[in-house]
Amino acid sequence: MANLKEIRNRITTISSTMQITSAMKMVSAAKLKKAQDAITAMRPYADKLTELLQGLSASLDGDAGSAFADSRPVNKVLVVAITSNRGLCGAFNSNIIKQSRTLVGQTYAGKQVDFVTIGKKANDILRKKNTVVANHSGVFDDLTFDNVAEIAQFLMDQFTEGKYDRIDLVYNKFKNAATQIVMTEQFLPIAISEENASSVSDYIFEPSKAEIVEQLIPKSLKTQLYKAIRDSFASEHGARMTAMHKATDNASELRDELKLTYNKARQAAITNEILEIVGGAEALNN
């Protein structure tokens, strides 16, 4: 059995760790509320804009569509992996890395797959075995639409210039504080939805549908990427809050076990001392 001093030191260390994890949980909870409000308010607008764009694109005749909807044989793929800059958030980052590697090894096996990373964790891991053409981890320092729009413009340029035939987003979609859903979402070319085409057929368009689509596409793509990053940002704080809550609970259980062990060891030590005193007294009497 460990000596009393060692157990006391471990109890002190665990108590200090509990204070840290509890503080991190409260900080993440505060940040989560703001991030959750932002993505909740934005999601209906982004979804409706995407739905409208898909409907308009599907209703266009022949080649009236945009270069962003150009569907060609997929030989070169660019994957945008969105993680966090920091750890201590459970499986939040590892799930994205795992899904990214699945795309390389299974979904796009035999094809050229490069990465754009948003988040230091993705960049640090993926660049070891894959080609990372750009890293935009600094966007989380000032997460605004304008900053994300620059990244989206870079992706659009890569597609229109023919450097890549398909661009996918891999990110965590926020459901609640305890649940994040790993999403693989087609960014380019634009997915055409025939189901949404009927919803725009009764409208009169001014200017023409083609002109509206040309104006809407860049804005829609920038909004789509901004929503994905916002989703990931909220998911990060939810995952970290949940991870720190579990860490605090586990530390509390371990501390209680150590206190019980400490009390047993202390009681055994006292009993041994009493036995030694009694034994010494008996020896003197004899």
Side-chain angles (χ1 to χ4, degrees):
M1 184 176 291
N3 61 57
L4 294 178
K5 183 177 180 180
E6 181 182 347
I7 298 176
R8 281 200 306 269
N9 290 338
R10 291 186 63 188
I11 292 174
T12 301
T13 301
I14 291 174
S15 298
S16 299
T17 302
M18 282 181 59
Q19 293 178 348
I20 296 172
T21 55
S22 180
M24 292 182 66
K25 173 189 171 183
M26 290 187 290
V27 170
S28 294
K31 292 182 177 180
L32 172 63
K33 181 64 170 64
K34 184 178 180 181
Q36 182 177 353
D37 290 343
I39 187 58
T40 302
M42 180 187 178
R43 192 175 284 161
Y45 168 77
D47 292 343
K48 189 63 178 179
L49 181 61
T50 301
E51 176 185 336
L52 177 62
L53 180 63
Q54 290 177 345
L56 284 171
S57 300
S59 64
L60 291 176
D61 297 327
D63 299 329
S66 167
F68 297 113
D70 181 20
S71 181
R72 47 187 183 253
V74 178
N75 295 312
K76 295 178 291 184
V77 182
L78 184 63
V79 177
V80 183
I82 305 174
T83 60
S84 66
N85 287 338
R86 298 180 297 162
L88 297 178
C89 47
F92 174 83
N93 292 315
S94 60
N95 286 339
I96 298 300
I97 302 300
K98 181 179 179 181
Q99 179 62 18
S100 298
R101 287 174 172 169
T102 298
L103 292 177
V104 174
Q106 299 180 19
T107 308
Y108 300 122
K111 305 180 186 301
Q112 176 186 334
V113 182
D114 296 337
F115 287 92
V116 168
T117 56
I118 300 177
K120 292 180 181 178
K121 294 299 180 180
N123 182 59
D124 292 344
I125 297 175
L126 292 175
R127 69 180 179 180
K128 294 178 180 178
K129 294 184 178 180
N130 305 98
T131 301
V132 177
V133 298
N135 175 40
H136 298 282
S137 302
V139 72
F140 290 114
D141 297 333
D142 186 16
L143 186 52
T144 63
F145 180 81
D146 291 339
N147 289 336
V148 174
E150 294 178 5
I151 303 174
Q153 187 61 54
F154 169 78
L155 298 175
M156 288 186 281
D157 292 342
Q158 295 291 301
F159 181 79
T160 55
E161 292 171 5
K163 295 181 179 179
Y164 296 96
D165 304 315
R166 181 183 172 104
I167 299 178
D168 286 345
L169 306 179
V170 180
Y171 66 97
N172 283 290
K173 181 178 180 181
F174 178 80
K175 183 176 181 181
N176 53 52
T179 306
Q180 299 83 38
I181 304 171
V182 178
M183 300 290 294
T184 301
E185 192 173 278
Q186 180 175 330
F187 186 69
L188 285 169
I190 296 172
I192 305 299
S193 175
E194 298 293 341
E195 296 179 0
N196 295 332
S198 59
S199 64
V200 299
S201 59
D202 297 331
Y203 292 96
I204 298 174
F205 296 95
E206 180 64 33
S208 66
K209 287 183 183 179
E211 291 181 61
I212 293 176
V213 168
E214 291 295 334
Q215 295 177 14
L216 275 181
I217 284 177
K219 183 175 183 178
S220 175
L221 291 172
K222 292 172 184 177
T223 302
Q224 182 183 355
L225 180 60
Y226 186 56
K227 179 180 73 72
I229 296 177
R230 273 289 177 190
D231 253 319
S232 180
F233 190 63
S235 297
E236 175 192 349
H237 292 305
R240 183 170 291 111
M241 186 185 75
T242 302
M244 292 301 99
H245 176 73
K246 292 180 179 179
T248 302
D249 289 346
N250 292 338
S252 178
E253 293 179 5
L254 182 57
R255 183 186 61 178
D256 292 341
E257 292 177 1
L258 285 173
K259 283 184 176 180
L260 181 60
T261 302
Y262 175 80
N263 290 334
K264 289 181 178 179
R266 183 169 176 270
Q267 185 177 14
I270 293 173
T271 302
N272 288 335
E273 290 177 2
I274 293 175
L275 290 175
E276 289 175 0
I277 294 172
V278 172
E282 289 289 339
L284 291 174
N285 291 334
N286 294 331

